[in-house]
Amino acid sequence: MDSLLAAAARALTAGDVLTALGHVALRSDPPALALRGVAMAQLGELERARELLRLAWRGFGTDEVLARARCVVAEAEVGLALRDLAGSPAPLLAAARALEARADPHNALQAWLILARRWLLLGRRKEAEAALAQLQSQVLTPALAAMAGLTEAALAARALQVPQAAAALEAATAAAQASGITALQAEVAQARIHLAQPAARRVARDSTDRLLDLHSVQHLLASSACVVDGCRRGLWVGGRWRPLARRPLLFALLRALGQAWPGDVERDVLIADVFRTRDGDHTHRARLRVEIGRVRVAVQGLLQVEATTGGYRLVAAPGNEVAVLMPPIEGEPGAVAALLGDGAAWSSSALALALGASQRTVQRALVSLESTGQVRATGRGRTQRWLAAPLSGFTTILLLPASLPGD
């Protein structure tokens, strides 16, 4: 590395981006292109940064494995910031292995951390935990330790492991303070606030909702209560889980019966609320009987559905109560708002990939959120991105892709 490149690298390490660019702005050799790409990324010019890093990767020879691997890691971090989640993780995984083999542990650990954060955004908990495990027992810089703590806390929070999430945030706070990076300290502080905010609503029979934070949600799921979980769309009873996310009609019936517990719900009310019709006839009643039968099968062994003179009601085991848990934002826009709540710019295709939904479903939710001023679009066509201010007053952790406790 010549003197100008060395000076540019030192300036980047110190956070002096403009000085670094002044040293290499007019150069087009691969090392200079790589440094320019990193500098542009720090300035927020992510698309240009990715272009420069790809040029640098192509400029390095096939025998320059270490330099190429560093370019791959830098480009992967830019792609993560752009929320480009569609590519294969294989190149980044290969780069991490190459960096480990060539004694560049810092960049190798950075690669594993990027992999963990990418899997986290996609709701792939086991893969994220496996990638994050590569950082354990390693000597991390304060900045890497803070980001690793944030990632660990997010994984724990989505699995409703609240004490573990709080401990990880404590470690991230200390590391962020040691790093001296103001933006990182602010991100950790925001994560702590986010964890303590209300995360769900417990719906009562008289329609009076009670807000619960994550600790209260964890306590409710650990109790003997039969929880009709509208955040994950299923039934949770004493550590046993029955998913109904792919059977929305059955879940709608279960929710209506759960909200009325220990009373019953009249047949005409169920037909009007679940089938969305005011003029129910004998065909709707016949269909209701069929769907109630399917609900009985779905919750068999956990709850019973009993017919009454006027309708149906839920019957729990003696001493158990039925609780209905709903997210702070209901419907399709809720999960989209949860992802956009991180303040990053997302494409509709990336949102669909992260949520496991169709792009049409995501676009419909975005239109709904845009009409209420909760999100805004920038760019057009393939460059269009969606932004939202971080939601205040509650957390949307339970709306994000995640595994349930005990999974």
Side-chain angles (χ1 to χ4, degrees), residues 8 13 20 57 78 97 120 162 165 180 214 239 330 372:
T13 302
W57 181 87
V78 171
R97 299 295 189 194
L120 175 64
V162 185
L214 284 175
E330 292 195 43
T372 57

Side-chain angles (χ1 to χ4, degrees), residues 219-262:
H219 180 74
L220 178 63
L221 294 179
S223 70
S224 60
C226 305
V227 182
V228 180
D229 188 348
C231 300
R232 308 296 190 189
R233 296 300 182 95
L235 179 64
W236 182 270
V237 182
R240 290 178 291 174
W241 172 248
R242 296 288 171 82
L244 292 173
R246 297 184 182 276
R247 308 181 76 178
L249 184 63
L250 300 192
F251 180 80
L253 286 169
L254 184 62
R255 175 189 174 178
L257 295 173
Q259 287 184 208
W261 183 90

Side-chain angles (χ1 to χ4, degrees), residues 111-201:
W112 286 114
L113 182 56
I114 294 168
L115 276 168
R117 293 164 62 198
R118 183 180 185 276
W119 288 129
L120 175 64
L121 286 175
L122 291 172
R124 304 281 291 273
R125 179 185 168 193
K126 291 183 179 179
E127 290 87 341
E129 288 177 343
L132 198 60
Q134 300 293 325
L135 280 73
Q136 293 179 356
S137 303
Q138 300 292 331
V139 179
L140 305 178
T141 64
L144 272 180
M147 288 305 302
L150 281 171
T151 307
E152 183 181 352
L155 278 168
R158 294 193 194 184
L160 288 181
Q161 299 169 348
V162 185
Q164 295 89 324
L169 282 179
E170 287 292 337
T173 300
Q177 292 293 336
S179 73
I181 301 174
T182 305
L184 189 54
Q185 294 168 7
E187 186 174 353
V188 175
Q190 183 61 37
R192 292 172 67 103
I193 295 172
H194 202 55
L195 187 67
Q197 289 176 335
R201 297 177 293 114

Side-chain angles (χ1 to χ4, degrees), residues 346-359:
W346 288 73
S347 66
S348 59
S349 59
L351 288 168
L353 186 63
L355 295 173
S358 69
Q359 196 162 341

